[in-house]
């Protein structure tokens, strides 16, 4: 979530920013004193909401963090003033950055009416760096986001001087909001365990869960997955119903990470809100709670809580002892891997088919169009708690349909969840539809000569009261036969046919289509069609 609201750092391959109101300085080199040349850090500010105009003309910028003393402006001074949204920093002369010895600091940006931004930076080389910092105007946050900011206090030991409560406005078009509650007398600490004292800036941001900064229903590269006691657990996934980011910092830009006693996060959402299976969430339902620490790239399963009804809204309340991004929703434990081997079938050469995998609650686990002879891979998840309460197996249904919507394959399987590394192989053997017919016509000439006409139009009486209907063109083969494929006819039935031979329609009545899905017809032709 922070990459949408609190900060965004993007490394670009080429300079596409300008130092003033002039066009981008393509191909232009910045000139610095010799002492700092080669270590420039170009910072560009932009609005988190692209529709609210330019960045503020006045911003108070400070450099913090363990290596803040190694950061200067482009003139080897400690003056940090953005001009037209651009600020140029440098590493102090003689400072060498590397992957083994990175330079770490934070850019702290404040402006009236905007969220305070604390942007962590890590420099691993003395090459030129490009950084974008997005600033959020509280009155006009990005679409799908609500923000509230409040001033509070902690004494010199880091204890809250009074109870803190802050609630986001409702998301546009919904009744979703969130409340952070902290009792008085709770000690608050930063990531290294130091008390956070003084004037506090409390920020609560609620985001449409589909726009949250971590794709929580897919595992991210380098992500750690732990339980609430920080013990490693098998991967899980959460389909979020609500998502919120909470952040507290003081005037020294210390960020609060932990609390000496539990605090409360309350999610509220309207009656009629759906779970991931498309069912209405109701009072008494048990939902799961998870958090994501963007700095540590850790997804944590926090447990479950029961939904309660409060008037016209539903409430989900969870207790935590740290601040980060939080999600409530359906928890899906990883169960197994599924390998679908879609067998090639000559009846469907060139066709696109569609395979869907659903669990027994109707949740779609896999939904993809593909060709024949394809091997498809997907992970299976089951709804339930992490640990001993996780289901030991899961029922799934695999269905493959043709482009016309006809079911070609369906099978229900019980998948063992005992080993998340297990792979279940399913051979998808397509079934020929009842209305697939191969027509073979073998014209005969009385004089012993061969049939000399090319492709032939054909029509059949489908017995629907509409007379004869075209069933397409019969293609001439090298051995003087006429063949076609049709999905308009049914096996096990008789039809009357018409074949356009040289401009003359020839009739064949009561031709039987047997269960092998083939129609074979032999008939004699007049001499002018023979050679």
């Amino acid at each position: 979530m922070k990459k949408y609201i609190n900060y965004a750092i993007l490394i670009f391959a080429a300079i596409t920013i300008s130092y003033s109101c002039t066009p981008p300085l393509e191909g232009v080199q910045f000139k610095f004193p010799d002492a700092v040349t080669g270590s420039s850090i170009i910072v560009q500010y932009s609005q988190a909401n692209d529709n609210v105009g330019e960045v503020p003309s006045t911003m108070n910028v400070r450099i913090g963090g363990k290596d803040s003393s190694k950061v200067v402006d482009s003139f080897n001074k400690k003056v940090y003033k953005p001009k037209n949204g651009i600020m140029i920093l440098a590493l102090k002369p003689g400072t060498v950055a590397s992957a083994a010895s990175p330079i770490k600091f934070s850019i702290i940006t404040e402006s009236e009416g905007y969220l305070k931004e604390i942007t962590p930076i890590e420099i691993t080389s003395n090459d030129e760096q490009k950084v974008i910092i997005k600033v959020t105007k509280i009155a006009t946050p990005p679409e799908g986001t609500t923000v509230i900011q409040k001033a509070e206090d902690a004494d010199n030991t880091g204890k809250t001087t009074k109870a803190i409560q802050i609630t986001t406005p409702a998301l546009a078009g919904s009744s979703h909001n969130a409340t952070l509650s902290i009792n008085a007398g709770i000690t608050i600490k930063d990531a290294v365990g130091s008390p956070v004292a003084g004037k506090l800036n409390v920020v609560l941001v609620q985001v449409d869960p589909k726009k949250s900064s971590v794709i929580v229903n897919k595992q991210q590269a380098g992500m750690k997955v732990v339980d609430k006691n920080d013990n490693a657990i098998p991967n899980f996934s959460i389909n979020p119903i609500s998502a919120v980011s909470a952040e507290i910092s003081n005037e020294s830009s210390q960020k609060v990470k932990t609390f000496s006693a539990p605090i409360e996060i309350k999610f509220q959402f309207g009656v009629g809100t759906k779970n991931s299976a498309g069912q209405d969430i109701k009072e008494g339902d048990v939902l799961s709670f998870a958090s994501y620490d963007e700095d540590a790239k850790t997804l944590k399963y926090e447990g479950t809580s029961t939904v309660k009804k409060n008037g016209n809204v539903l409430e989900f309340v969870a207790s935590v002892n740290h601040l980060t991004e939080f999600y409530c929703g359906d928890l899906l434990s990883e169960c197994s891997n599924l390998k679908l081997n879609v067998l090639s079938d000559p009846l469907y050469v060139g066709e696109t088919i569609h395979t869907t995998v659903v669990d027994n609650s109707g949740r779609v686990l896999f939904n993809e169009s593909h060709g024949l002879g394809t091997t498809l891979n997907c992970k299976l998840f089951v709804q339930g708690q992490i640990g001993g309460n996780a289901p030991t197996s899961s029922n799934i249904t695999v269905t493959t349909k043709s482009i016309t919507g006809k079911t070609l394959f369906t099978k229900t399987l019980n998948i063992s969840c005992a080993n998340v590394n297990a792979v279940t192989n399913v051979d998808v053997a397509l079934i020929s539809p009842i209305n697939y017919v191969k027509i073979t016509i073998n014209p005969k000439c009385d004089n012993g000569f061969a049939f000399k006409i090319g492709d032939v139009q054909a029509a059949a009486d489908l017995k629907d009261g509409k007379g004869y209907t075209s069933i397409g063109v019969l293609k001439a083969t090298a051995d003087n036969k006429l063949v076609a494929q049709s999905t308009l006819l049914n096996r096990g039935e008789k039809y009357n046919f018409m074949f356009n031979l040289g401009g003359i329609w020839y009739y064949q009545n009561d031709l039987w289509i047997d269960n092998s899905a083939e129609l074979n017809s032999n008939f004699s032709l007049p001499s002018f069609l023979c050679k």
Side-chain angles (χ1 to χ4, degrees):
M1 213 173 296
K2 296 173 192 166
K3 75 178 181 183
Y4 287 97
I5 306 301
N6 297 334
Y7 65 83
I9 302 174
L10 301 176
I11 303 301
F12 290 90
I15 298 177
T16 56
I17 60 177
S18 61
Y19 187 72
S20 65
C21 293
T22 58
L25 302 176
E26 184 176 352
V28 176
Q29 292 185 341
F30 291 94
K31 302 298 292 184
F32 306 109
D34 291 342
V36 295
T37 299
S39 63
S40 58
I41 303 161
I42 304 170
V43 180
Q44 180 183 16
Y45 286 92
S46 66
Q47 291 277 7
N49 185 345
D50 296 333
N51 299 320
V52 298
E54 300 296 327
V55 295
S57 57
T58 302
M59 289 184 281
N60 178 25
V61 179
R62 295 176 287 125
I63 303 298
K66 75 180 189 71
D67 293 325
S68 58
S69 62
K70 299 177 182 179
V71 181
V72 296
D73 66 5
S74 58
F75 298 98
N76 198 15
K77 298 181 181 296
K78 293 284 186 178
V79 179
Y80 311 112
K81 293 289 184 184
K83 181 180 179 182
N84 297 317
I86 303 295
M87 180 175 66
I88 301 176
L89 306 177
L91 297 182
K92 192 173 182 179
T95 302
V96 177
S98 67
S101 183
I103 305 300
K104 297 182 179 181
F105 60 95
S106 294
I107 301 175
I108 300 118
T109 307
E110 295 179 277
S111 185
E112 186 174 353
Y114 283 76
L115 290 182
K116 177 181 179 181
E117 306 294 339
I118 305 175
T119 308
I121 306 292
E122 182 173 318
I123 304 297
T124 57
S125 77
N126 285 68
D127 295 336
E128 186 177 83
Q129 313 286 326
K130 287 93 179 177
V131 174
I132 288 181
I133 299 177
K134 289 185 177 288
V135 291
T136 301
K137 192 172 184 178
I138 297 172
T140 52
E143 183 181 357
T145 302
T146 61
V147 179
I148 188 166
Q149 182 174 245
K150 189 177 181 182
E152 297 286 358
D153 293 287
D155 65 20
N156 57 8
T157 67
K159 287 186 179 180
T160 52
T161 57
K162 64 177 183 178
I164 296 172
Q165 188 171 88
I166 183 171
T167 301
T168 63
L171 282 171
S174 76
S175 56
H176 284 233
N177 63 17
T179 299
L180 168 67
S181 300
I182 304 172
N183 291 331
I186 290 180
T187 301
I188 56 178
K189 296 183 178 182
D190 63 13
V192 296
S194 299
V196 179
K199 293 190 177 298
L200 304 176
N201 182 49
V202 184
V203 178
L204 195 62
V205 179
Q206 184 159 27
V207 176
D208 181 331
K210 296 178 182 177
K211 299 178 181 179
S212 57
S213 68
V214 57
I215 305 174
V216 291
N217 61 351
K218 294 181 181 177
Q219 297 303 314
Q220 307 293 296
M223 180 187 289
K224 293 184 292 185
V225 184
V226 299
D227 64 13
K228 65 185 305 178
N229 298 315
D230 293 323
N231 297 314
I233 56 176
N235 290 348
F236 71 90
S237 174
I238 186 167
N239 289 329
I241 294 161
S242 285
V244 68
S245 174
E247 185 174 286
I248 300 176
S249 61
N250 64 7
E251 291 182 308
S252 300
S253 299
Q254 282 180 284
K255 285 186 179 182
V256 175
K257 282 292 185 181
T258 61
F259 300 85
S260 60
I263 65 171
E264 183 181 279
I265 300 285
K266 179 171 67 178
F267 296 93
Q268 287 189 321
F269 39 88
V271 173
T273 300
K274 308 287 186 185
N275 62 19
S276 62
Q279 303 160 336
D280 285 350
I281 299 171
K282 59 185 183 301
E283 185 173 25
D285 283 356
V286 175
L287 296 179
S288 297
F289 186 53
S291 64
Y292 179 70
D293 188 327
E294 190 172 71
D295 297 332
K297 292 192 181 303
T298 299
L299 185 61
K300 178 179 288 190
Y301 170 63
E302 303 276 1
T304 60
S305 188
T306 302
V307 175
K308 296 182 180 180
K309 191 174 181 182
N310 183 0
N312 293 324
V313 297
L314 298 171
E315 292 184 343
F316 176 93
V317 179
S319 294
V320 295
N321 61 2
H322 60 105
L323 280 189
T324 185
E325 302 173 12
F326 300 102
Y327 306 88
C328 76
D330 297 337
L331 183 72
L332 304 177
S333 306
E334 186 173 345
C335 171
S336 180
N337 295 300
L338 182 66
K339 187 176 181 181
L340 303 172
N341 308 304
V342 184
L343 304 182
S344 182
D345 191 312
L347 299 182
Y348 296 97
V349 171
E351 265 203 71
T352 297
I353 57 178
H354 193 95
T355 297
T356 305
V357 181
V358 299
D359 65 13
N360 54 8
S361 69
R363 184 186 295 106
V364 177
L365 305 176
F366 186 85
N367 196 33
E368 184 177 303
S369 294
H370 52 86
L372 298 176
T374 307
T375 298
L376 311 171
N377 295 284
C378 61
K379 286 186 179 296
L380 300 182
F381 293 89
V382 292
Q383 188 170 15
Q385 297 182 28
I386 294 293
N389 293 324
T392 58
S393 65
S394 174
N395 288 328
I396 65 164
T397 300
V398 181
T399 303
T400 292
K401 294 186 177 182
S402 72
I403 197 168
T404 61
K406 297 292 183 180
T407 298
L408 308 179
F409 173 90
T410 185
K411 189 172 186 179
T412 299
L413 304 165
N414 183 265
I415 306 299
S416 172
C417 298
N419 181 0
V420 297
N421 296 316
V423 177
T424 299
N425 282 280
V426 177
D427 287 339
V428 178
L430 305 183
I431 301 171
S432 299
I434 192 66
N435 63 339
Y436 178 91
V437 174
K438 183 178 180 181
I439 302 170
T440 302
I441 305 298
N442 189 14
K444 297 294 184 180
C445 290
D446 291 339
N447 54 13
F449 293 134
F451 179 53
K452 69 177 184 180
I453 200 167
D455 297 344
V456 170
Q457 290 180 324
D461 181 358
L462 303 180
K463 302 178 182 178
D464 57 3
K466 297 179 181 179
Y468 283 87
T469 299
S470 173
I471 58 171
V473 174
L474 282 72
K475 297 286 185 180
T477 65
D479 58 354
N480 296 314
K481 292 181 180 179
L482 297 170
V483 298
Q485 297 175 357
S486 174
T487 56
L488 297 175
L489 308 173
N490 292 332
R491 284 174 284 173
E493 294 187 16
K494 290 181 178 180
Y495 295 92
N496 298 327
F497 290 90
M498 295 169 54
F499 304 102
N500 188 346
L501 303 176
I504 300 175
W505 285 97
Y506 281 80
Y507 291 82
Q508 288 268 293
N509 293 330
D510 292 330
L511 294 182
W512 177 270
I513 302 173
D514 62 25
N515 288 325
S516 67
E518 289 201 13
L519 166 67
N520 290 282
S521 176
N522 299 299
F523 55 87
S524 298
L525 298 173
S527 59
F528 74 90
L529 292 176
C530 301
K531 64 177 181 178

